[in-house]
Amino acid sequence: MASDLRPPEHQVAGHRASADKLGPLVDGEGLFYKPLQAGERGEHEAAFYAAFTAHPAVPPRVRGAFFPRFHGTRLLPAPASPGGAPYPHIVLDDLLAGLQSPCVADVKIGACTWPPRSPDPYVAKCLAKDRETTSALLGFRVSGVRVVDARDGDVWRPDRSELKGMDAAGVHRVLRRYVSTCGGSGDGLDCALAAAVYGGEGGVLAQLRELKAWFEVQTLYHFYSASILFGYDANAAAAAAASSSSAPGGVRVKLVDFAHVDDGEGVIDHNFLGGLCSLIKFIGDIVAEVTEKASNIVYLQMSHIKRHQMERKSQVFERGNFTELPV
């Protein structure tokens, strides 16, 4: 199995595995291997997964729909580890397995990305990054994006420096481009896939609203520096859009990165909930814009047809041949 492990092609955030650097791996069989982070963070994340998986107060629907399935930990060969010794990895479901042309977005949630009782230097580091990005302003920031154009296979993946420097307008643009067919060329803002990916019963917006309903009541955990991962298949979404289907199926919305989860102590996680509501507003606005544009196009088409019919009636009256009137 070790020979089949490789860095995920669709990775958009975090450190990429190499000969001298630890990073996530996939095995091509549906599993994702995340190396434990240094210090206490890695052990903390593994302990969270173990406890969350068995927690009786977590609704099975929430656990199954929005969190990766946990398969324990495993030692894997790791040339980049100290001394080249086998290194422990958290084993999870590969959240994008089965997507032929995965389009991915990683969105870090929360205006505050450090947990309570963090050391002052770490707080200062996180605070600076939150202020440099849109985390402090919007309650979330886009950490990575990968869009595949179903027409020609071109991939659009903005640099992290570009994403880091975005303002609110830039976030709006990136979220529009994520559901556009012009990934490799043009302005990339046709939003042709918005209805298929963001809208519909199984789309991103509906799933985020379901997740929000849980965060409005759950007081078990506070999720600091966690991300929401979006995933869809470019080919399936393009086919759904072409057939005017509401959703292509397989649109995925998952929470990831739990090295900084804290005990909720019976209090709602307002930091995460606020960022989630902000993200929902941005995506909801895009869906509304696309819906309004489509409605305007239909209205103009109907107006053109009606005008053509009136012109024909006028011509018939002028000739006095009423048998030509459309019925």
Side-chain angles (χ1 to χ4, degrees), residues 175-192:
L175 291 176
R176 285 173 58 89
R177 192 158 188 174
Y178 179 64
V179 290
S180 295
T181 58
C182 306
S185 61
D187 66 5
L189 296 177
D190 63 8
C191 287

Side-chain angles (χ1 to χ4, degrees), residues 276-327:
L276 178 57
C277 289
S278 178
L279 178 61
I280 288 173
K281 177 68 166 57
F282 267 73
I283 293 178
D285 285 349
I286 293 172
V287 173
E289 291 167 8
V290 172
T291 302
E292 182 180 3
K293 181 179 179 180
S295 298
N296 289 339
I297 291 174
V298 172
Y299 175 78
L300 291 174
Q301 290 174 338
M302 294 302 295
S303 297
H304 176 74
I305 293 172
K306 187 174 182 179
R307 184 170 62 253
H308 177 73
Q309 290 175 338
M310 293 299 293
E311 290 174 352
R312 184 181 174 192
K313 285 182 180 181
S314 176
Q315 294 170 358
V316 169
F317 274 111
E318 290 177 0
R319 290 197 298 268
N321 187 356
F322 302 111
T323 60
E324 297 182 21
L325 283 173
V327 295

Side-chain angles (χ1 to χ4, degrees), residues 30 67 93 117 124 129 144 209 214 221 244 250 254 292 295 298:
F67 289 81
D93 281 350
R117 301 172 297 279
K129 185 174 291 186
R209 285 170 173 163
W214 183 61
Y221 303 104
S244 299
K254 301 285 186 177
E292 182 180 3
S295 298
V298 172

Side-chain angles (χ1 to χ4, degrees), residues 29 35 40 55 58 63 117 127 152 159 220 236 244 311 318:
E29 299 295 329
E40 298 179 353
H55 204 302
V58 177
R63 182 163 42 229
R117 301 172 297 279
L127 180 59
D152 52 23
D159 293 334
L220 302 171
S244 299
E311 290 174 352
E318 290 177 0

